[in-house]
Amino acid sequence: LICAIGGDRTMNIEMSGGLIYEIINADEEWVHGDGSKLQSGTKVILPRGTEIIDNAKIDFKGGKPKVWEERQQQPRKILITGSSGYVGQHLLASIAFQGIGGKTDSNQGTTYEIFLAYNALPTFEDDLILLLEHKKLHPSIAKIRSISNIDFSNSEYIQKLQNAGASSFDAIVHLAALSSPGFCENNASDAWKVNCPIDLLSFGAPIIYLSTDQVYEGTKSYYQEDTDETLPVNVYGRTKLAFERVLLGSNVLLSEEELGGNSTSDTGQYMPDTKSIPSPNPRSTILRSSLILGGPTPLKDGCRKGSF
């Protein structure tokens, strides 16, 4: 079917169903795929494979254009835990000013509401306001909210997130952690609660989880995920590995060998029972980091180790 459009047209956005065109000056020859005429200002979705012949003709390749009805889309809600930490601050600044996906973002027209959860960094709120005052937010960022006093060692943190107006999320980036191996050895119970937060799964959202290379024994200078076996030798490594297994839906979080190690403070008594763990979102992602190096924090007064 060759359809004469006679008049100007502009391409607005590319969608999964095809291209959306707005008819600016429709003349009497512009017809819908079913033969009906379209008025100026109408937006249509062109079928995939449609070819523009010239400024006056479109080849639909046997398909039919559909009238596109614009709907008010609610912003997608993204939770970032540990927002006051080093990685959290760099991530929030990147999202705030560059958006999600940057130039390669295929979700054109999608907006986001970002929830920045943190525990106890006194300068975080004022520094965040100062940062956002001096630069324009990316068009895709509808709102940025901060939520203070989110302590993962306290079971009430889920209720606090919900009370902040976040009853559900479309994605969670879990950066909050007790990352000092020595502190974790002496506070195994808290380390398990913070580093293996199974209650986060109750939101049903995919979780991007920042893990660690301390899930390995540490006797080699380089490890390959596909071939090297995990064998954490401290509480910190065990808690991080356990939550990896939670996100993978494993029935066994740690083997007896992985629970061995050198620790005397943790023999698995704080490890959650797999029977009580909600099913993870299959789109969750695990990132194992080693040393994290970079420039100064985007917030003026920086961050404090352990503040998450």
Side-chain angles (χ1 to χ4, degrees):
L1 171 66
I2 301 293
C3 183
I5 64 171
D8 298 329
R9 53 156 175 74
T10 58
M11 185 178 72
N12 286 359
I13 189 172
E14 185 171 354
M15 302 282 283
S16 59
L19 298 177
I20 294 178
Y21 273 69
E22 181 175 2
I23 314 308
I24 305 300
N25 296 311
D27 69 22
E28 293 183 358
E29 295 183 6
W30 213 106
V31 295
H32 192 281
D34 61 5
S36 60
K37 294 182 179 180
L38 291 172
Q39 304 298 318
S40 295
T42 302
K43 294 179 181 180
V44 296
I45 302 177
L46 303 184
R48 286 198 176 279
T50 295
E51 292 184 3
I52 308 300
I53 305 303
D54 54 37
N55 284 338
K57 291 187 177 181
I58 299 176
D59 185 352
F60 294 126
K61 297 295 184 182
K64 293 182 179 181
K66 298 178 181 179
V67 175
W68 178 61
E69 297 179 1
E70 189 169 5
R71 296 178 176 85
Q72 184 67 33
Q73 186 182 45
Q74 294 297 317
R76 296 182 180 180
K77 294 182 178 182
I78 310 296
L79 170 66
I80 303 175
T81 74
S83 297
S84 62
Y86 183 79
V87 176
Q89 288 191 25
H90 279 282
L91 179 61
L92 74 86
S94 175
I95 289 176
F97 306 126
Q98 299 179 41
I100 294 178
K103 294 180 179 179
T104 62
D105 189 0
S106 60
N107 296 318
Q108 299 181 41
T110 301
T111 57
Y112 301 90
E113 186 173 358
I114 310 301
F115 292 80
L116 305 175
Y118 71 102
N119 187 12
L121 183 63
T123 58
F124 183 74
E125 298 279 350
D126 290 340
D127 283 354
L128 179 62
I129 293 172
L130 187 64
L131 177 72
L132 300 181
E133 280 181 345
H134 287 79
K135 292 188 72 174
K136 186 177 180 180
L137 285 178
H138 189 272
S140 66
I141 306 303
K143 185 183 294 185
I144 293 180
R145 294 186 180 189
S146 61
I147 312 174
S148 63
N149 300 315
I150 300 301
D151 181 357
F152 285 87
S153 65
N154 187 324
S155 60
E156 296 180 355
Y157 76 87
I158 292 291
Q159 188 62 51
K160 286 185 177 181
L161 291 173
Q162 294 173 337
N163 291 343
S167 58
S168 64
F169 297 102
D170 294 285
I172 297 171
V173 182
H174 184 52
L175 303 177
L178 289 177
S179 56
S180 166
F183 184 89
C184 290
E185 289 298 319
N186 295 322
N187 300 272
S189 176
D190 285 347
W192 274 98
K193 293 174 184 176
V194 176
N195 296 340
C196 188
I198 60 172
D199 290 338
L200 268 186
L201 275 66
S202 63
F203 287 109
I207 296 175
I208 300 174
Y209 180 54
L210 186 62
S211 188
T212 175
D213 62 353
Q214 292 196 43
V215 299
Y216 299 110
E217 189 175 13
T219 57
K220 296 169 56 175
S221 59
Y222 178 76
Y223 284 87
Q224 292 184 321
E225 292 184 16
D226 295 336
T227 57
D228 287 316
E229 293 184 358
T230 53
L231 187 60
V233 297
N234 54 32
V235 173
Y236 174 60
R238 288 192 198 98
T239 58
K240 301 294 272 190
L241 179 58
F243 198 59
E244 288 187 17
R245 301 266 172 82
V246 167
L247 295 180
L248 293 171
S250 300
N251 292 324
V252 178
L253 299 188
L254 296 176
S255 66
E256 290 186 11
E257 185 179 15
E258 289 167 337
L259 274 172
N262 302 324
S263 174
T264 58
S265 63
D266 177 26
T267 57
Q269 69 267 37
Y270 303 115
M271 185 169 60
D273 184 351
T274 54
K275 295 179 181 178
S276 65
I277 298 176
S279 297
N281 188 300
R283 293 183 295 153
S284 296
T285 301
I286 300 162
L287 306 173
R288 284 181 184 162
S289 68
S290 183
L291 294 175
I292 299 176
L293 304 174
T297 56
L299 300 191
K300 180 173 67 73
D301 292 312
C303 59
R304 185 180 73 243
K305 188 175 180 63
S307 64
F308 56 87

